Structures are given as structure tokens and as C-alpha cells.
Amino acid sequence: MIKFFEAVFQNLSTWGLPVLVLILGVIEFSLGLYKKHWSKNERILDIVCYTIPKIVVRPLVTYFGLKFLPLVLPDLKSVFDWVPFWWGFFILCIADDLTQYWYHRLHHEVPFLWRFHRTHHSAPYMGMAMASRQNIIYTIFFSQTYLTTTLVYLGLGYPALFVKGIKSIITTLAHSSIPWDKPFYEKKWLNPIAWVLERLISTPATHHAHHADSNDDGVGHYKGNFGNMFFLWDIIFGTGIITRKYPSGYGLKHYQEEEWYAQFMWPIFKSKKEGSELSANGPMVQDDPIPVPVAVRSEEPVIGKSKLELT
């Protein structure tokens, strides 16, 4: 068993990561952590989003990229192969994840870009299954695919692949429905480690907050916590909150469970759901619905009114 997991981690850039995701996904599913949210439409969408980029998009980008780069940069092949591995690893961690932070953040802050990233936030659950859930346009223009290809050509292939493997593990575990970070908050002797961990990398608590369906519970923070591998960027740019808690709900308040093909290939295919952001005449950004009034207990009785009042 130990040798098997050693092989998995040694082959993260090829078959290792899919196997790891499959194992953890089976654990999540067997524990019932997806509850009743994983409908047929959601299953198809998650599977398509996971497989197509890996077997079609990224291989094609890498293949044609390595054919194209010698034409435009003929004298730079392997120019950085003298760089020590760990220096290359350190530089790439920053270059790779910082560019993704801004790519991700812009898709939340620029209305025109939101619908290309919306698919990742439509899932009403967290888990391995939805970690790769993205619109195909978002995936095609994803900067890291081109960056990794270019770095391999320039001679930083090993550090680039190593960074990719480590990052894949961190981001996959951050999306997991298993709160593996919880013991770090509950056990006092682990608190110092938790303080560093939650500020350095994305954890379930910090990243789940980004996928919350509301900010009203004081935990959700879908307009922040943009970090992928490193949560450090949110600390530096002031977009992060740390509560050590998990949101009460996930996804979009206005989610209509649009057809999987519309979520995956919008605007090539559009949803038939009226009023959807992905429909032919839908809004660019759908506002959250007006909250239904809820009963709260008044501290002091008011003459002529019940102690239960509507806010």
C-alpha cells in the first residue's frame, strides 16, 4: 500500500493525480457527503469538466505550443536549464499562482467575465467531483497551461511539473468536502501550525467560504478568498477572511441547474432556462434574490405586536 501511494505521488503529472482524486472522491461519496445534490445533470457536468481539459485541451495546447515556441523563440530553448531545481520551484510557485489569483479575481470582478467562471460556482456542494468544474472558454484561456508549456521549453520543465503536482494536491484538497483542516483549529497544540497554514495555502475553511451561496452567515466570502494554491495573495491584497468555520450553504442562490452542456460550453450553447445568466437573453450578472423575511425574537415585548417580529 505504501509503495502504491509513493507511485501515485511520483506520477502526479500523469496518472497519479486522477487516481488520487478518484480515491478521495469515492471516500466522499461513500460517506454521503454529496447528500442529494449530485443529480444526473451535475454528475455529467463534473465528469465532462474533469476529463475534456485533461485528454483534449491541455495535450493540444502543450503539443502545438512546443511546435510554435521554436519558431518565435528559436534561441531560447533550454536557456534556463542552469537554474537550480529549488530556485526554479520557488520562482514558479510565485509566477504561476500569482497570475492565477488575478485571472480568477478578474472573473469575479468584471461582469463580462463572470459567466465564463460561473460554472465553477454553480455546484450546491463541495467535493473532489467539482474541483475541475469550469466552462471550456475559461479553461482554454487559462494562463497556467501556456505558462507551464513555455517554461518546459525554456528549460524549467522539472520544477514546472513539480509545482503543478503540488498545486493540484493543495487545490483539490481545498475543494474537498472532508474538513481535514478542522483538527488544526480544535486542538490547541496545533493552533500555531493552523495560524501559518491558513495564511499560506488554501484550506477547506478558507476556500469553502469562497464557494458559499451567501455572505449573510458571517462565514461566506464569495467576493474574496480568491487564492488557489496560496491564500497568501488574499492576505497581501486584502481580499481574504479567516473564520475557521464552514458556510451554511454552497453554490448560487439563483441556480436553476442549467443544462450541463450550457454550463460547459456557454456561449456556444445556451440554456433554455428563462432568466438564467446562461440563456439567450439572460442578464450578464444575476442579482441574488431578495431574502425571505425570517422571524426573530425581540428582546422586549412591544404593545400591539407579537414578540416575534419580521426583520
Side-chain angles (χ1 to χ4, degrees):
M1 183 62 72
I2 295 177
K3 290 184 177 180
F4 170 74
F5 280 104
E6 285 180 353
V8 168
F9 284 98
Q10 289 172 358
N11 293 276
L12 284 173
S13 60
T14 53
W15 59 267
L17 183 62
V19 169
L20 181 63
V21 170
L22 178 62
I23 292 172
L24 294 173
V26 168
I27 293 173
E28 288 181 328
F29 190 78
S30 63
L31 293 175
L33 298 178
Y34 291 142
K35 298 178 181 178
K36 297 180 180 179
H37 295 303
W38 215 31
S39 65
K40 181 180 179 181
N41 188 70
E42 303 299 304
R43 278 200 307 274
I44 294 174
L45 177 60
D46 288 343
I47 293 170
V48 167
C49 288
Y50 183 81
T51 56
I52 297 300
K54 287 177 172 56
I55 66 176
V56 178
V57 178
R58 289 170 192 165
L60 285 177
V61 168
T62 302
Y63 176 78
F64 287 108
L66 293 176
K67 292 288 185 182
F68 176 73
L69 287 169
L71 301 178
V72 294
L73 303 172
D75 300 324
L76 296 182
K77 181 175 174 58
S78 301
V79 68
F80 291 129
D81 62 358
W82 59 271
V83 176
F85 176 85
W86 287 112
W87 270 111
F89 174 78
F90 177 75
I91 293 169
L92 295 182
C93 277
I94 296 174
D96 176 282
D97 206 53
L98 182 57
T99 54
Q100 186 174 353
Y101 167 87
W102 282 105
Y103 183 76
H104 182 195
R105 181 173 172 176
L106 287 172
H107 279 75
H108 280 268
E109 296 184 345
V110 179
F112 170 73
L113 297 176
W114 163 244
R115 286 181 289 188
F116 296 109
H117 181 53
R118 178 188 187 274
T119 301
H120 188 58
H121 283 268
S122 64
Y125 49 86
M126 293 297 289
M128 304 296 173
M130 53 74 61
S132 301
R133 178 174 171 139
Q134 293 285 7
N135 175 282
I136 189 66
I137 305 299
Y138 184 95
T139 301
I140 289 174
F141 287 95
F142 191 55
S143 58
Q144 274 55 48
T145 305
Y146 304 94
L147 180 64
T148 301
T149 301
T150 302
L151 292 172
V152 169
Y153 175 74
L154 295 177
L156 292 173
Y158 286 116
L161 293 176
F162 190 66
V163 169
K164 182 181 178 183
I166 297 297
K167 181 173 182 174
S168 295
I169 292 175
I170 292 174
T171 55
T172 301
L173 291 178
H175 285 88
S176 173
S177 58
I178 301 172
W180 57 264
D181 54 339
K182 203 169 184 179
F184 289 92
Y185 314 139
E186 295 179 338
K187 298 184 184 300
K188 281 191 175 182
W189 66 276
L190 290 175
N191 284 177
I193 298 176
W195 193 94
V196 174
L197 188 72
E198 64 194 357
R199 285 163 176 77
L200 180 62
I201 66 171
S202 289
T203 63
T206 56
H207 198 67
H208 281 214
H210 176 67
H211 281 266
D213 60 4
S214 172
N215 289 349
D216 296 339
D217 61 1
V219 177
H221 192 48
Y222 58 79
K223 294 183 179 179
N225 289 24
F226 301 115
N228 291 275
M229 176 165 61
F230 293 127
F231 189 76
L232 183 63
W233 309 127
D234 288 288
I235 300 296
I236 293 173
F237 297 112
T239 54
I241 66 167
I242 298 173
T243 66
R244 297 186 174 183
K245 297 179 181 178
Y246 309 90
S248 56
Y250 301 101
L252 305 171
K253 286 288 189 182
H254 49 271
Y255 185 43
Q256 299 183 52
E257 197 171 338
E258 289 87 355
E259 305 86 347
W260 69 267
Y261 54 82
Q263 294 198 62
F264 181 61
M265 299 193 69
W266 185 92
I268 300 171
F269 295 110
K270 295 182 172 62
S271 174
K272 297 177 183 177
K273 302 292 179 71
E274 186 177 350
S276 168
E277 293 169 329
L278 306 183
S279 62
N281 298 308
M284 188 175 295
V285 177
Q286 176 74 37
D287 292 328
D288 283 344
I290 299 174
V292 177
V294 295
V296 296
R297 185 171 298 279
S298 172
E299 292 294 331
E300 297 291 337
V302 181
I303 297 175
K305 294 184 180 180
S306 167
K307 291 181 69 176
L308 287 178
E309 296 182 333
L310 295 180
T311 57

